[in-house]
Amino acid sequence: MPATAPTWDPAQYLRHAGHRARPFTDLLARIPDLPADAPRIADLGCGPGNVTVLLADRWPTARVTGYDNSPPMLERARQYAGPTPGGGHLDFAPADARTWTPDEPFDLLVSNATLQWVPGHADRFPDWIDRLAPGGTLALQVPGNFDAPSHRLLRELADSRRWRDRLDGVLRHDDAVLTPEGYLARLAAAGCTADVWETTYVHLLPGEDAVLDWVKGTGLRPVLDALGGDPAARDAFVEEYRTVLRAAYPAEAHGTPFPFRRVFAVARKPAGSAGSAGSAGEAGR
C-alpha cells in the first residue's frame, strides 16, 4: 500500500461503472433488515457516489452519509446530496478509513472496494462494530484478485531492474486482503453472525487495451502518482505494462474477458448487544 492514498480520477474510475457496481448490488442483496425504521447508514469509501445512491433506493427513509478521503471523488459525489424521494437524506463528508471511527451509532456500515487500500483494516472491525446499533450490520466487499495477472504482472514490472528503485514499496501485495476464512474468523471473534463468500465475475470489457483502461482507474494509480513528475518515465512504464497485459488478456471478437474475484462479508451484531453503541443508539432514536 502506498504511504499516502492514491490520487483518484473519478472520470477514469467511472469508465467501467456498470461492472464496478455489480458487486455492490450483490452485497446489498445479502444485507438483512436493519433495526431502525429510519436507519442511519455510512458508506465508507464512497468514491464518486454513484453506488451510494443505491443505499437510499434500498432504504428510502435512511439518512446516508458517504465518506471518502479523495476531494475529487467527494466533489463528484456531491451531485447526489440532498433529500431523497422516500423521505431520507444523502450527504457526503471527508474521512479516512485508516483512522475513521463513527461518532454516532449506525444501523449499517458498508464499505465497497475500499478496505484493500487500508493496511490492517480487519483490526478496525471491533471499533466499527462497537459503534453499530444493536442488530446493526457491517457489510464489506474487497477485490480478491491480487494473484491475478493484472496485479501480479504489475508488481513484477515495478520490481524489475529498471523500475525497482523508483517504485519500491509503492504497490500493494497479495496480503492486502484476508481470505474469506480470515474475514469470517475476525468477524465472529468480534461477536457477530457473519455471512462470508467469494465470487469470480468474468467482465467482458470493450475497447482496445481494455484491462489497462480498467486498472488506470484503480490498481495502477499509485504508479501513475509515483512517476507523475516524470511523464516520459510514466509513459514508458505504461507501455511496458500494456505489452504484458495484451499477452495475458487477449482481446476476442466481442471484447476482452477479464476474470475478477471478489470477497464479501456481511456481519450482523446481536440485537441484544450492550456497549457504547447500544446505550447511545437507544438515546438517539
Side-chain angles (χ1 to χ4, degrees):
M1 162 116 185
T4 58
T7 301
W8 294 103
D9 180 343
Q12 181 67 41
Y13 183 84
L14 288 167
R15 284 174 58 83
H16 301 279
H19 290 298
R20 296 192 196 279
R22 169 72 185 280
F24 190 76
T25 60
D26 290 347
L27 180 66
L28 290 190
R30 300 282 280 269
I31 295 174
D33 291 341
L34 300 181
D37 293 333
R40 184 73 175 99
I41 298 176
D43 181 6
L44 185 57
C46 64
N50 59 304
V51 297
T52 309
V53 298
L54 300 178
L55 293 164
D57 292 340
R58 170 75 186 275
W59 293 281
T61 60
R63 183 162 63 96
V64 181
T65 300
Y67 295 98
D68 208 281
N69 66 350
S70 166
M73 287 292 201
L74 287 172
E75 182 62 29
R76 186 68 173 257
R78 288 190 176 107
Q79 66 181 301
Y80 302 111
T84 59
H89 194 272
L90 180 60
D91 61 13
F92 298 90
D96 191 324
R98 292 172 291 188
T99 57
W100 179 77
T101 298
D103 57 5
E104 61 178 300
F106 282 86
D107 299 287
L108 171 63
L109 197 171
V110 62
S111 184
N112 181 61
T114 294
L115 298 181
Q116 71 274 12
W117 296 101
V118 181
H121 56 265
D123 295 336
R124 303 299 328 278
F125 292 168
D127 287 343
W128 294 340
I129 291 167
D130 184 59
R131 297 301 298 164
L132 287 175
T137 294
L138 169 65
L140 65 95
Q141 179 271 124
V142 291
N145 66 333
F146 287 90
D147 59 351
S150 56
H151 287 65
R152 176 175 49 79
L153 292 170
L154 180 59
R155 293 195 302 270
E156 290 176 359
L157 183 57
D159 194 43
S160 65
R161 179 175 299 180
R162 179 177 183 183
W163 300 108
R164 185 178 304 141
D165 289 345
R166 301 188 67 172
L167 297 176
D168 182 46
V170 165
L171 293 171
R172 300 162 295 167
H173 290 275
D174 55 5
D175 60 354
V177 301
L178 304 184
T179 63
E181 295 83 357
Y183 283 115
L184 181 63
R186 297 296 289 268
L187 293 166
C192 291
T193 300
D195 177 17
V196 181
W197 72 98
E198 61 181 80
T199 298
T200 297
Y201 300 87
V202 183
H203 303 299
L204 188 62
L205 303 183
E208 187 177 5
D209 294 315
V211 176
L212 177 62
D213 192 64
W214 177 290
V215 296
K216 279 183 177 179
T218 53
L220 189 58
R221 301 305 304 177
V223 172
L224 299 178
D225 283 353
L227 300 178
D230 186 344
R234 179 195 61 208
D235 293 347
F237 184 95
V238 170
E239 286 307 308
E240 289 187 46
Y241 188 38
R242 183 195 311 273
T243 299
V244 296
L245 283 179
R246 283 178 173 176
Y249 299 97
E252 299 181 0
H254 302 289
T256 303
F258 183 37
F260 203 117
R261 173 178 173 264
R262 295 184 182 270
V263 178
F264 302 78
V266 175
R268 189 168 188 267
K269 184 176 180 177
S273 294
S276 60
S279 57
E282 293 301 319
R285 294 185 191 284

